[in-house]
Amino acid sequence: MAKKVEKERLSWNEISLVFIIVSNICFYTIDMINLYRVLTLSGIAISVINNFRYFNFKIQKSNCVVWLIAIYSIFFFYGFFFLQAGTFAWDSMLTRFGENIAIYLAIKGLFYERGENILRPFVVSGILSFFYLAVKEFAIIIGGGIRIGSTMSGNANTVGFNFGFFSLLVAWDYCKTKKKQNLILLVGFIVIMLLTGSKKAVIIIILDLFMIIIYEKKKVSMWLKMMLICAFGVYAIFNIPYLYDIIGIRIESMIVTMFSNSSNIARFYSYSTSMRELMIREAFALFLSKPIFGGGYNYFFANTSTLYDYSHCNYTELLCSFGVVGTLIFYSKYFSNMTYIIRNKIHRSPFYFNIGIVGMFLTFEMLIVDWATVTFSGQCMGYIPIMFTSAALDYVRSDINTRGSNAQQKINK
């Protein structure tokens, strides 16, 4: 009877994650918002009911639930009492809070049930999202020259980032298992990421390759293969018209705009890059005017000279709205996770090497991506990397306690 309950619990955790992830990637649009609500609320209910035993309100650095309560309390407090412009979508923010709690509990439950073998719900979510995208934008994909992802939740950049998360997990599992199907999935996700035209996605692809290099660092042949793959990838992006028109020209114009005066060269001028630089400068200047507690929710929106609602950078948006105090609280979980991995040498442990590596890469991913997007008020996909890492490290802490002093001694060697 006990085994039957364990299998059922595992199954429900997977279903919960698939419901929440797919609804956020595919259905958070005007036309599909009702389906989004049904799926995501069902996923939240399933996860919370199934994993209620993992709730822990004891205040400690390792407690992800307490961190989520803290940061969302700040968002609600500022949104209700210090709103500077626009509206505060408290109902959407409350849904995000519930989604993140549910995602953390479901991933934590999977780690406790299966250890590191928890890839399946993310692969299923990625494949379902891929097929939905292929059906909705088949003509665009075949025609070429246009970025894909406009029919999904968010925009093309959001879609590229979402598939980037899947690619990191698949690359991680491939490094552990060497399963060919994982390599095929990785290639498929990378192709989708490139077709979104997202420059953030290119950074994540580099992280994918770097992860493989770390796992295969003792194999010279793998280094040569990675070098050839990188060379071919660069050549394809800048020399194959299908890819150049989607992503190559965007990378080229970004580099030229950032490092030279390209305003007089229409072909190489990147409005996106230029405007992002302006918004970051404005947001930082606004932060300096009220550095401790910030200027309030949507403070950038209320004072910017641009036509945008937010500064397109998570760091400056947090600093501008919530000051140093709010920003440090938000990123405290990122740095406490990294500190735990490095201080306890999790990434060198014979028991927990894989968890240490994926935790570091997922954290690096978000610390890099946050320079070009606002995640604190966005969809839960921007939180999943930190939820995944936190749940994985909770599993490590529990396993160390179970193994006793021998495990800790091996880690500290």
Side-chain angles (χ1 to χ4, degrees), residues 145 171 206 311 335 358 375:
I206 295 172
S311 61
F335 293 113
V358 75
T375 54

Side-chain angles (χ1 to χ4, degrees), residues 38-76:
V38 170
L39 287 176
T40 198
L41 292 177
S42 299
I44 292 171
I46 291 170
S47 175
V48 172
I49 293 172
N50 194 48
N51 298 287
F52 190 78
R53 63 195 176 112
Y54 292 126
F55 268 108
N56 179 10
F57 295 101
K58 182 179 179 181
I59 298 178
Q60 54 185 4
K61 289 190 296 183
S62 62
N63 196 315
C64 193
V65 173
V66 172
W67 174 73
L68 286 171
I69 292 173
I71 61 173
Y72 276 93
S73 295
I74 293 173
F75 301 158
F76 278 101

Side-chain angles (χ1 to χ4, degrees), residues 226-324:
M226 289 296 104
M227 292 175 62
L228 290 173
I229 290 172
C230 290
F232 174 77
V234 171
Y235 176 84
I237 288 172
F238 291 103
N239 290 276
I240 297 177
Y242 184 93
L243 290 176
Y244 179 78
D245 292 341
I246 296 173
I247 183 65
I249 185 65
R250 287 174 52 78
I251 297 174
E252 191 175 57
S253 60
M254 178 191 71
I255 294 172
V256 173
T257 301
M258 289 178 64
F259 298 105
S260 68
N261 183 13
S262 62
S263 58
N264 296 322
I265 309 175
R267 179 180 174 230
F268 292 113
Y269 177 68
S270 172
Y271 175 82
S272 172
T273 302
S274 179
M275 189 54 62
R276 286 174 184 272
E277 290 179 345
L278 173 61
M279 288 188 289
I280 288 175
R281 288 197 300 268
E282 279 195 355
F284 193 73
L286 290 169
F287 152 67
L288 292 177
S289 67
K290 297 185 177 182
I292 306 301
F293 297 105
Y297 205 93
N298 285 342
Y299 187 53
F300 174 84
F301 182 25
N303 294 276
T304 181
S305 63
T306 70
L307 300 176
Y308 291 93
D309 299 352
Y310 53 94
S311 61
H312 287 70
C313 172
N314 203 55
Y315 298 106
T316 55
E317 194 70 17
L318 284 168
L319 288 169
C320 186
S321 298
F322 312 115
V324 172

Side-chain angles (χ1 to χ4, degrees), residues 117-308:
N117 301 314
I118 65 168
L119 186 66
R120 185 166 57 180
F122 304 102
V123 169
V124 171
S125 299
I127 292 174
L128 290 175
S129 300
F130 166 77
F131 279 114
Y132 181 80
L133 175 62
V135 170
K136 296 283 285 187
E137 303 189 21
F138 180 77
I140 297 175
I141 295 172
I142 296 299
I146 302 175
R147 300 172 65 187
I148 66 172
S150 60
T151 62
M152 308 279 276
S153 306
N155 54 33
N157 291 326
T158 306
V159 174
F161 165 77
N162 291 340
F163 278 95
F165 168 71
F166 295 139
S167 75
L168 268 176
L169 289 189
V170 171
W172 175 59
D173 201 65
Y174 169 72
C175 290
K176 294 188 302 172
T177 64
K178 298 299 185 293
K179 292 180 179 178
K180 292 183 179 179
Q181 58 263 40
N182 285 338
L183 188 58
I184 294 171
L185 278 172
L186 178 60
V187 172
F189 288 149
I190 287 176
V191 170
I192 293 296
M193 292 159 67
L194 290 175
L195 295 184
T196 65
S198 171
K199 290 167 282 191
K200 294 188 288 289
V202 175
I203 295 174
I204 299 175
I205 292 171
I206 295 172
L207 288 177
D208 291 335
L209 298 177
F210 189 56
M211 179 187 289
I212 295 174
I213 289 174
I214 286 180
Y215 270 87
E216 304 292 344
K217 59 185 178 181
K218 295 182 179 180
K219 297 182 179 179
V220 177
S221 60
M222 181 58 69
W223 282 74
L224 294 175
K225 289 179 182 178
M226 289 296 104
M227 292 175 62
L228 290 173
I229 290 172
C230 290
F232 174 77
V234 171
Y235 176 84
I237 288 172
F238 291 103
N239 290 276
I240 297 177
Y242 184 93
L243 290 176
Y244 179 78
D245 292 341
I246 296 173
I247 183 65
I249 185 65
R250 287 174 52 78
I251 297 174
E252 191 175 57
S253 60
M254 178 191 71
I255 294 172
V256 173
T257 301
M258 289 178 64
F259 298 105
S260 68
N261 183 13
S262 62
S263 58
N264 296 322
I265 309 175
R267 179 180 174 230
F268 292 113
Y269 177 68
S270 172
Y271 175 82
S272 172
T273 302
S274 179
M275 189 54 62
R276 286 174 184 272
E277 290 179 345
L278 173 61
M279 288 188 289
I280 288 175
R281 288 197 300 268
E282 279 195 355
F284 193 73
L286 290 169
F287 152 67
L288 292 177
S289 67
K290 297 185 177 182
I292 306 301
F293 297 105
Y297 205 93
N298 285 342
Y299 187 53
F300 174 84
F301 182 25
N303 294 276
T304 181
S305 63
T306 70
L307 300 176
Y308 291 93

